[in-house]
Every structure is written in structure tokens, then in C-alpha cells.
Amino acid sequence: MPSTTWVHGFDRLDEVEAGLDGGWDSVRGLLGGKGANLAEMTRLGIPVPPGFTVTTRACLSYLDGDGRLPDGLWSQVLHALHAIEDRLDKRFGDPAAPLLVSCRSGAKFSMPGMMDTVLNLGLNDETAKGLVALTGDEHFVFDSYRRLIQMFGTVVLGLRDELFENVLSDARHVRGVTSDADLSADELRTVVARFRDLAAGFPTDPAEQLRMAIEAVFSSWNGRRAVDYRNAAGIAHDLGTAVNIQAMVFGNLGEHSATGVCMTRSGATGLPGLEGDFLVNAQGEDVVSGTRATRPIEALAQVMPTAYAELQAMAAKLEARYHEMQDIEFTVEDGRLWLLQTRDGKRTAQAAVRIAVDLANEGLIGRADAVRRVTPSQVDFFLHPQLAVAARQQAADEGRLIATGLNVSPGAAVGVAAFDPDVAQRLAGDGRQVILVRPETKPDDVHGMLAAEGILTTRGGRTSHAALVARQFGKPAVVGVGALEVDLVGHRATMGELVIEEGDWLSLDGSTGEVYAGRLDTFVPDISDGWLATLLGWADDLRTLGVRANADYPADARRARDYGAEGIGLCRTEHMFFQSERLPVMQRMIMSDSVTERRDALAELEPLQRDDFLGLFRAMDGLPVIIRLVDPPLHEFLPTFEELSKRITDAKIRLSAAGSLDEVDDLLGRLRRDEDLLRQVRALHESNPMLGLRGVRLAIRHPEILQMQARAIFAAACDAAEEGGGPRPEVMIPLTSDAGELIRARQVIDSEAAAVFADRGITVDYLVGTMVETPRAALTADKLAEHADFFSVGSNDLTQTTYALSRDDAETSFLIDYLRTGVYDHDPFSSLDPDGVGLLIDRAIAAARTREDDFEVGVCGEHGGDPASIAWCHAHGLTYVSCSPFRVPVARLAAAQAALATAS
Ligand code: ADP
Ligand code: MG
Ligand code: MG
């Protein structure tokens, strides 16, 4: 029976592929990302030091088998090692021509810094002596040797790195230098001797070194750091890690040697061209560890022009193969370039957009790929204030990047620290920007969270109370910043030496999880031109779902159109009545005892409404504008009962102390008005206003309101048409639950339209439709469709009425708990509930489409801006989604991605 193959040479990729189903993904699964890419680079003819990969399966078998290497593994390792020896004409452990190797971990998904690597395996006193004889470079040999013992000691033997660093710093101190590279060969020899004493378990037999290193990498898969990282990053625990054994190349061989890391494009901005750092005469981690000052990669062009040109050529080759920006590790050994790793590079949202567009323009990927690669949250990034790049860089250079936590709610927030929600609210009331800092948050803290610019907690994860509330209200937030210790009694936070007092400035980035001390500059990215606009243009070509905006004012409508909205899906006319100069007229209208009085007040409001509508038609010239008739219960336009009672009591007290007759007159007048208002507030009081006299019910009870609104809409449409515009009014009736309501309201609207058109001598095409926001509307949609030209699903209210819960009340009481404890698996107000609400929407769509193939059915709740809900809307055949102007770009991308997902 053939035994299992646990080991694959970097030059055997074709064989590995032939033995696996599932393409590149399963190659990565078996060899790990690092191993698969090392083999791929080898196949592409890129210079990679020879080596082999011990598979993830071997790791899993080792972990299963109580720490015993699986049968056959060790002999396969030795066999593969011999192949390298033959190729390089060196022998592992042979002082005459010693081969040194590295032992590198590499799982399927990159887990940066989570597992460890040992370099320079194969050195002991004898081979070191041999290597000195061969290279004549004692400094290099003992530098390599001390690194081996240090890495072996920490990674394999589990010793604290501090022990080794103390020896080094003593040596530097005695010599009076700041860099280990400046220690003399003799000093390094002494360091090695002291390291040997520290790492008593360090084996001198190279084979033993290798075996122990492999086992240590295997075991590190279940180490605390790795498990925590996988939990945080959502990586499965049963994948295992591969181990790569690779011949060493030396960047520490003198002035013609170097080591570095670079990206093929800027990870910050996406600018094409290499971006990275390197060090002359150094090895591996020196560049990333920050112990020596690195040089920017462009400087390599001066120091080692040939290697630099080669690196550029390799970068292009790798991008052509992976169709992605790459993050590369390289080493120059005595003028010769070697690549040691490549992987897809990490990037900011800005860079992600630019890189996707550039790669498509360069022909490396298709436009659809570009659209697929950018996430909705990366587009969302462009719509929030951000920390300025230069400010971020400067703060980082000055050591003011104090911690990083979980990035749970995007955007930048800058403010003074407040450690108490009441303090936060008070400071915000004084006009200060505040960051609320808490160990964690509770429902009692919500007022402080709302008052704050941003939220920072030291505990909690992605589904913590703080994270959920922050996302709900669009507050930037970073949670789980474990490095910071909050002292609630002392009103301060500490991290080691650092103390943050109440009132100290903090800046946080909810997109990256970074927390800075100090007040960093912010900016709002411009989306109107450049790469994002191009990408969204491509998205528009790919999507079939329409995107409209919810906009109540002409300025919002214009912004929405700039962001790419194809019309207005919802204009809430009542918002126009809330404006301060109009509210008293509105209140007079509500207070009127007679229809004539009411008509007078309405006549005052009519020209104002008409102006608003004309503004909307102008902003959306040629595009549909859905205007919803007045919807909320009338009491919302009046002061609250409590407020009025207080005002009346105050007036009475002042009346008793009034000095002049004029004052008495004035106070009495106000008192009477307030008493009238109070009577009306009492009369309009409903136990469940959400289910009361509102929406179409109001229009039927007070047809004069409906008439006024209809006249204003059609007169404005005629005005727009006379100006030469193309107004497309769609009049929408809210809260319908019976066809009878629709019939009556429609009669009024149609007859007002006819009257206006006759008067003006022009006709404008218009539609009359209804919202579907009660279960009964959805269930009787076939009857509604007979009288409606379009449907618009009011998914906020439909969710409320389907669940029979009031959102405003639920959010401050049980909803957050339901989400935290998993009673609900998602928030039905952020993401459309497909099981219940979705079923009702399906029903409405089916009824509408039976009547007419392209019957317009849109969604105008907040779900219209949520990518998951947008995907649902696409798949279920809705005509469009309508969302807030700021979500329009996100919706355009999400709609395109939904189209791509269902097409493939
Ligand atoms: P990490 O995943 O932490 O980056 P790596 O396995 O990539 O760990 O290795 C750490 C460092 O050592 C990197 O800079 C890498 O380029 C370098 N390195 C690894 N193997 C070799 C080798 N055979 N020759 C030279 N440098 C190496
Ligand atoms: Mg690496
Ligand atoms: Mg509604």
C-alpha cells in the first residue's frame, strides 16, 4: 500500500494539482497560502530558494496523534532535504559545505504574526566554523548563529524573548552602539555563548533542530495567540498549518546584501509602483521588527539597481499571475535577488477602489471582477469623515497610535475623552466634541453614546452592546481595546505609562480600529470624480435593479442625483410642514373648528408645498419623483402634553406676578392659545398612534388636506413642464390596508389633477400608487393593483406591522438584548426579514405582475441601503430600491454585485 505523501517539493506543483479536486483553493488548503505561492513562483520561473512543504494534513494528523509525527513523514522530510542538498551541492550539518534552512509556518489564510518562523537551522559550533572558513565572514556567521538560537529559544523552547534581548542590549551598551549590526564578530561570538547558556535545550544536531522546529510549528496552531486570532478573524479551527522548509539565502552577507518587503502598489492610496522598505546587510524580521531604521524601496534603485529592476519585473509577473496587488518579501544575497513570499496585499478602502479600477483598465481583470472586489463597506468609507492620511502618518510617527481594537462601526471620530455618559452629554451640550470611553456599554449609557462623536470600549466584541448601538446610529466605534485600562472612579484611562484624563483629545478610526492620542484632522472624501465614480459607472452597467433616493428637500434630491440616484423613491411631505415658519400654520390647520377655517390655513401652506415640489422636479428633471401624502398622526405636529402643561403652569405663575397691563394681556393671550392646544392634544390622543388616524385614513377623514397636496403637486408639475422640464410625478398613498381606501383617495387625486390641467391648459403624465406597509395590503395586493399604478413597499412599517412591534420603543428596551442574546439572529430593521416580511413582499409582487409584467414595485425603507436586503430585492424582482442619498453609491454597488451573483 502506498504511504501518504506528507511532503511536496516547491517544484512539484503540477503533481499536487493533479492529485486534488477543487483547484487553487484546495492547493492552498493543502500547502497553506505561503507554500502554495512559493510553489507557484517556482513554476513561474521566479527565483525562489529551493524547498518543500509539509502539508496541513500532516499537521492535523500530528495534532490528532498526541504529538507524534505521522508515519513516513520524517523519512519524506529527509528525502526532500537530500534533493535540496544535491541541487545546491551543500549538506545539512556538514561543516565542509553547510546547508542552512528556514522552517516557516503557513496556514491557508494568512495569520500575520500569529505563528513563527525559525531561520538558519543547521548551525552549530562545527558548521559555524566551517561556514567561517568558507565565507571568511565571521561577523555574518555569528550574527546568523545568534539569530538561530534566539528564534529557536523563543519559538521552539518557549523562552521569553526578553532574556535574549537583554544580552544583546548589554553587548550594545558595552560597545556603545545602537544597532546589533554594529557589534563586532568577537562580540557576536560572546553573545552566542551566552545565548547557548540561556537556551540549554538547544540541540546541536541539525536534524534534531529541524524535527523540533517542525513540531513546534504544528503545535503553534493550537497556541493561544493563533486560536484568539482565528476567533477574531472568523477562520476555521480545523484547517491546520503547513510547514515550509527552505534553503536560506542571506541578506546579512555584507554591503551587497539586503532584505525587504514591498507591495506592488501603494496599500494606502493604490498608486501603481513598488512601495515598501528594505535594509542593507540584514535578515528577515529586521525590517518589520522596527529595530533598525529602514529605507524606502525607491532607494534600492540607487544602491542595487539591477536587483531593483528585477524586483519590478517580478512584481509585474506576479500581478499578471494573481490578478491582484501583491505583498512581497525579498532578499538580495550578494547582488542576487530572491523572492521569499508573495500574497495578496492588504489595503485601505481608497486603495481597494483605485486598484480594482486600475487593474481592469490595465486589462488584468474584467470590469465585473473589479466591481466584485470592492465591498459595500469600502464604498461606505467614502461617505464618512475620515482621518487625514498625513495626520494619521504623523501621529503614528510620533508614537501617538496608542492602540488598536475591533473596527465595528466605520468613520472617524475626534473628540475629548469622557468616561461617563452624563459627562459626555453635558460636554456635548456645551458644544464640545466627545469620545465616550467605557469598559463596555449598557442600555443606561445610550444617551451618552448618542451625544458622543464616537465610542471606545475596552471590552466586548463585534456583537457587543456598544457595537450594535454604534452601527444602529451610525457612530464610529472601536471596541475591545484590551490594551487600555479604564478607571471609572478616577475618570481616566491608562495604558502602561500613558494616562488619558477626562478632556484629553482622542481620535479614533472605526474603519480600521485605530485609536490615536490627540486631535487629528479629518476630511470627507470626494466621490464625484476619480476611481470610485468609474467603478460605480461599471456597476450601473451591470445591475438591473434601479436605485432611487429618499429625499424630502431639493438640496437632498440634488445630492442624491450627484450620487447616482435614478429618481426619488420617497419624499415625505410632512417634513416640509415641520419647518419652523410653517409649523404654526400647520397647527392652525389642525386646530380649525370648521372646514372653512381649515381651508384658509391650507391655502397658506399650498404655495409653500408647490415651491418644494417644483424644486424636486427640477432637481430630478426627467426622472420619477414619488411624493407621499401626509402620513403621521396629526398630534406629531403639536407640542407634547407635558410640554404644554408646563408652559401653562409657568404662565399662570408669571401672571400672578405680572407688573403691567400689557404684560397681563400678552400672558393671557399665550395662556389661551396653549389651553386650546392642550384641548386639541387631548382630543387627538390615541393609545396606539402608530395604528391610529394616520396615512390614508387622515386623507379620507380630512379630504381638504389631500386636495391641497394634490393641487400643489400638479401645479408644480405644470410649472416645471412650462419651464421646459420633464416632471414625472408619482403620487403615493400611505398606510393603505383596503382597496376601498385607495379608490376614494384616488378619486380625489384624479379630479384635482383634471382641474389643474384644465385650468393650466397642459397635461402632465402622472401615476398614483400605494405603499404596501401593512400585512393586509400585501395579502390583498391583487385588489389594490386594480386601482394603483405602482406599489412601494414601506419596509420599515411593514416590518413593524408584521412583527407587531414599535421600532422606537423596541430599540430602547428589548431589541438590543434580543440581538445580543441571539433571540433574533439579525435586526429586522437593518436587514429585511426574508422569512416573514419577505413572504408578504413576494405576495405583493406576484399580484402586481399578474396584472402587468413590469408593474413598478420598489422598496423605500432603510433596507434599501442594506447590501443583504438589496441582494434579496434583486433576486425577488423588485423594480428599484430607494435609500438615503448617502447610501445611494453603496446601493449601486450592491445591486451590481447581486446581479453578478445570480448570473454566475
Ligand atoms: P512571517 O509569516 O512572520 O512573515 P516568514 O516565514 O515569512 O514569517 O519569515 C520571516 C522572515 O524570514 C521573512 O522576512 C522572510 O522573508 C524571512 N525568511 C524566511 N525564510 C527565509 C529563507 N529561507 N531565506 C531568507 N530569508 C527567509
Ligand atoms: Mg512572511
Ligand atoms: Mg410608513
Side-chain angles (χ1 to χ4, degrees):
M1 204 183 81
S3 58
T4 319
T5 308
W6 303 112
V7 168
H8 299 280
F10 293 166
D11 53 356
R12 296 297 173 85
L13 187 54
D14 291 340
E15 271 166 43
V16 173
E17 281 182 335
L20 284 175
D21 298 328
W24 189 242
D25 191 63
S26 48
V27 174
R28 288 175 51 104
L30 184 69
L31 302 180
K34 195 181 282 171
N37 287 341
L38 284 166
E40 180 67 42
M41 287 199 285
T42 306
R43 179 158 72 180
L44 289 171
I46 287 173
V48 170
F52 56 88
T53 303
V54 186
T55 65
T56 53
R57 269 184 220 155
C59 171
L60 293 176
S61 164
Y62 173 83
L63 294 175
D64 271 358
D66 300 329
R68 237 175 26 84
L69 288 180
D71 288 346
L73 185 143
W74 186 244
S75 65
Q76 289 178 28
V77 165
L78 292 177
H79 186 77
L81 198 60
H82 287 319
I84 303 177
E85 291 174 335
D86 289 346
R87 223 179 110 183
L88 300 180
D89 209 9
K90 295 177 180 173
R91 303 272 147 212
F92 198 51
D94 178 359
L99 170 70
L100 304 190
V101 299
S102 62
C103 175
R104 319 172 63 189
S105 70
K108 177 170 183 180
F109 303 106
S110 108
M111 296 169 52
M114 285 301 132
M115 287 185 297
D116 292 297
T117 290
V118 183
L119 303 180
N120 307 328
L121 290 164
L123 277 175
N124 54 27
D125 295 347
E126 282 73 44
T127 51
K129 202 183 286 170
L131 205 56
V132 172
L134 271 175
T135 59
D137 189 343
E138 226 176 327
H139 186 278
F140 152 70
V141 173
F142 284 93
D143 182 51
S144 304
Y145 197 6
R146 68 95 187 160
R147 287 171 193 269
L148 167 64
I149 304 167
Q150 184 168 2
M151 284 187 262
F152 198 95
T154 51
V155 176
V156 183
L157 303 176
L159 299 169
R160 279 183 303 130
D161 195 41
E162 239 171 83
L163 299 172
F164 299 99
E165 286 301 329
N166 286 344
V167 172
L168 281 170
S169 76
D170 281 354
R172 287 195 302 265
H173 193 73
V174 170
R175 167 87 182 198
V177 295
T178 53
S179 164
D180 297 333
D182 296 330
L183 296 174
S184 71
D186 273 344
E187 282 154 349
L188 286 168
R189 192 192 289 273
T190 315
V191 166
V192 165
R194 292 184 61 187
F195 277 13
R196 287 289 300 274
D197 291 340
L198 281 175
F202 173 75
T204 49
D205 174 9
E208 186 61 9
Q209 292 171 6
L210 182 59
R211 195 186 54 76
M212 287 175 73
I214 291 174
E215 292 190 28
V217 172
F218 282 166
S219 303
S220 74
W221 177 257
N222 282 339
R224 172 83 193 280
R225 274 190 303 163
V227 172
D228 287 351
Y229 182 87
R230 289 199 296 274
N231 282 336
I235 296 175
H237 292 293
D238 60 356
L239 298 172
T241 179
V243 184
N244 301 287
I245 310 298
Q246 185 172 28
M248 287 302 303
V249 287
F250 299 101
N252 55 342
L253 210 50
E255 293 309 303
H256 300 288
S257 300
T259 183
V261 292
C262 68
M263 297 205 201
T264 54
R265 296 166 196 252
S266 163
T269 64
L271 189 76
L274 300 183
E275 182 183 81
D277 306 288
F278 76 102
L279 278 170
V280 170
N281 198 11
Q283 209 179 33
E285 315 67 57
D286 292 1
V287 175
V288 275
S289 68
T291 46
R292 278 171 62 187
T294 58
R295 300 169 70 179
I297 199 78
E298 305 85 73
L300 191 68
Q302 267 85 60
V303 206
M304 301 177 187
T306 324
Y308 183 75
E310 271 171 17
L311 188 60
Q312 283 184 311
M314 298 301 138
K317 203 165 182 173
L318 288 173
E319 282 199 346
R321 157 62 181 86
Y322 289 104
H323 314 291
E324 232 332 348
M325 184 263 265
Q326 295 294 294
D327 178 343
I328 299 171
E329 290 174 2
F330 67 91
T331 286
V332 181
E333 182 187 76
D334 219 1
R336 189 153 173 223
L337 176 74
W338 297 92
L339 263 49
L340 287 152
Q341 189 172 339
T342 191
R343 62 183 161 207
D344 295 349
K346 299 238 185 306
R347 66 206 70 187
T348 63
Q350 279 151 301
V353 170
R354 171 157 188 185
I355 289 170
V357 170
D358 282 350
L359 289 177
N361 284 336
E362 291 163 27
L364 287 176
I365 60 175
R367 289 181 173 183
D369 297 318
V371 167
R372 256 190 219 105
R373 278 190 191 179
V374 173
T375 62
S377 58
Q378 285 170 328
V379 171
D380 190 44
F381 162 91
F382 286 83
L383 308 166
H384 297 278
Q386 301 299 332
L387 296 179
V389 178
R392 185 196 294 266
Q393 188 60 53
Q394 194 191 340
D397 290 347
E398 293 169 6
R400 287 191 285 127
L401 170 55
I402 54 178
T404 306
L406 293 171
N407 53 338
V408 292
S409 186
V414 177
V416 296
F419 296 94
D420 179 295
D422 295 334
V423 174
Q425 198 176 35
R426 202 185 63 233
L427 291 174
D430 296 343
R432 313 214 38 199
Q433 294 165 280
V434 181
I435 304 280
L436 179 66
V437 184
R438 300 286 286 172
E440 67 217 334
T441 63
K442 298 199 180 62
D444 288 349
D445 303 333
V446 171
H447 61 290
M449 301 171 79
L450 292 179
E453 303 293 314
I455 295 148
L456 171 63
T457 71
T458 56
R459 293 202 282 266
R462 293 192 181 280
T463 54
S464 61
H465 178 266
L468 289 171
V469 173
R471 280 200 294 275
Q472 192 81 53
F473 296 106
K475 298 276 176 193
V478 178
V479 304
V481 186
L484 217 58
E485 185 110 23
V486 176
D487 168 7
L488 287 178
V489 180
H491 283 231
R492 67 162 80 90
T494 51
M495 196 183 85
E497 303 280 272
L498 180 84
V499 181
I500 301 162
E501 303 279 358
E502 202 142 61
D504 286 353
W505 283 92
L506 285 177
S507 303
L508 56 88
D509 183 338
S511 315
T512 61
E514 291 164 344
V515 181
Y516 295 88
R519 180 183 191 172
L520 272 58
D521 287 341
T522 60
F523 73 106
V524 180
D526 178 13
I527 76 151
S528 58
D529 56 17
W531 291 275
L532 184 61
T534 305
L535 187 84
L536 292 175
W538 295 346
D540 291 343
D541 295 339
L542 292 164
R543 69 184 161 89
T544 52
L545 184 67
V547 176
R548 297 191 192 177
N550 299 347
D552 305 328
Y553 307 104
D556 293 337
R558 277 190 296 273
R559 169 180 294 129
R561 193 168 191 163
D562 287 345
Y563 282 176
E566 298 156 309
I568 291 181
L570 176 65
C571 161
R572 307 175 199 83
T573 50
E574 61 271 13
H575 284 187
M576 301 168 169
F577 297 132
F578 282 123
Q579 289 173 24
S580 53
E581 69 282 10
R582 303 180 184 183
L583 194 57
V585 190
M586 186 67 186
Q587 290 177 345
R588 228 170 62 229
M589 192 276 288
I590 297 169
M591 306 283 299
S592 328
D593 292 327
S594 69
V595 173
T596 355
E597 242 182 90
R598 176 164 291 132
R599 280 193 204 283
D600 283 348
L602 286 166
E604 249 184 86
L605 290 171
E606 187 171 329
L608 304 172
Q609 284 248 292
R610 179 170 157 182
D611 263 5
D612 291 333
F613 295 144
L614 180 58
L616 291 180
F617 292 137
R618 282 178 181 150
M620 285 288 165
D621 189 30
L623 298 173
V625 173
I626 293 188
I627 297 168
R628 183 182 67 183
L629 302 169
V630 73
D631 181 45
L634 291 180
H635 74 76
E636 283 195 13
F637 298 97
L638 302 180
T640 62
F641 180 82
E642 290 75 18
E643 192 185 333
L644 281 170
S645 311
K646 185 169 179 301
R647 260 162 43 183
I648 289 169
T649 317
D650 283 356
K652 283 182 177 157
I653 294 169
R654 287 173 56 198
L655 198 58
S656 62
S660 72
L661 229 61
D662 279 356
E663 202 182 336
V664 170
D665 267 0
D666 179 53
L667 284 168
L668 271 177
R670 279 202 237 166
L671 189 59
R672 285 214 187 92
R673 272 198 303 281
D674 282 349
E675 279 171 346
D676 279 350
L677 274 172
L678 188 65
R679 236 188 323 280
Q680 196 65 21
V681 166
R682 281 218 179 90
L684 290 174
H685 173 79
E686 293 173 315
S687 312
N688 286 310
M690 194 186 89
L691 305 177
L693 181 65
R694 52 173 289 222
V696 65
R697 300 160 194 168
L698 204 54
I700 289 172
R701 173 74 167 272
H702 300 296
E704 56 284 358
I705 302 179
L706 171 57
Q707 285 164 339
M708 180 282 275
Q709 289 205 294
R711 272 197 310 275
I713 293 169
F714 295 116
C718 290
D719 296 341
E722 269 173 7
E723 289 176 0
R728 292 175 54 190
E730 302 189 6
V731 184
M732 180 155 81
I733 298 164
L735 209 75
T736 311
S737 55
D738 189 282
E741 295 172 315
L742 191 53
I743 293 168
R744 274 177 190 70
R746 175 153 205 160
Q747 269 165 4
V748 177
I749 295 164
D750 285 338
S751 76
E752 288 303 326
V756 171
F757 295 156
D759 182 44
R760 299 287 290 265
I762 16 174
T763 313
V764 175
D765 288 338
Y766 67 95
L767 304 179
V768 178
T770 180
M771 295 196 78
V772 174
E773 55 183 342
T774 64
R776 194 169 189 282
L779 295 169
T780 60
D782 50 342
K783 299 211 172 59
L784 299 187
E786 287 177 35
H787 307 282
D789 304 322
F790 67 89
F791 285 166
S792 171
V793 176
S795 56
N796 292 346
D797 266 331
L798 187 58
T799 302
Q800 295 200 93
T801 53
T802 303
Y803 279 79
L805 64 76
S806 151
R807 176 182 185 171
D808 290 348
D809 297 336
E811 266 171 357
T812 53
S813 67
F814 64 90
L815 190 57
I816 297 285
D817 277 340
Y818 262 34
L819 293 169
R820 211 171 36 78
T821 58
V823 177
Y824 284 176
D825 61 9
H826 80 284
D827 177 357
F829 293 103
S830 339
S831 200
L832 198 77
D833 155 45
D835 302 335
V837 178
L839 225 55
L840 290 168
I841 301 175
D842 278 339
R843 171 108 181 184
I845 297 172
R849 300 283 157 80
T850 311
R851 233 186 131 66
E852 210 182 299
D853 283 348
D854 57 352
F855 195 104
E856 179 183 303
V857 187
V859 161
C860 69
E862 269 156 73
H863 303 100
D866 164 59
S869 311
I870 290 169
W872 189 93
C873 290
H874 169 81
H876 289 247
L878 282 128
T879 316
Y880 66 84
V881 290
S882 187
C883 55
S884 95
F886 284 108
R887 292 298 287 180
V888 165
V890 175
R892 289 162 70 195
L893 181 82
Q897 291 181 337
L900 289 168
T902 45
S904 58

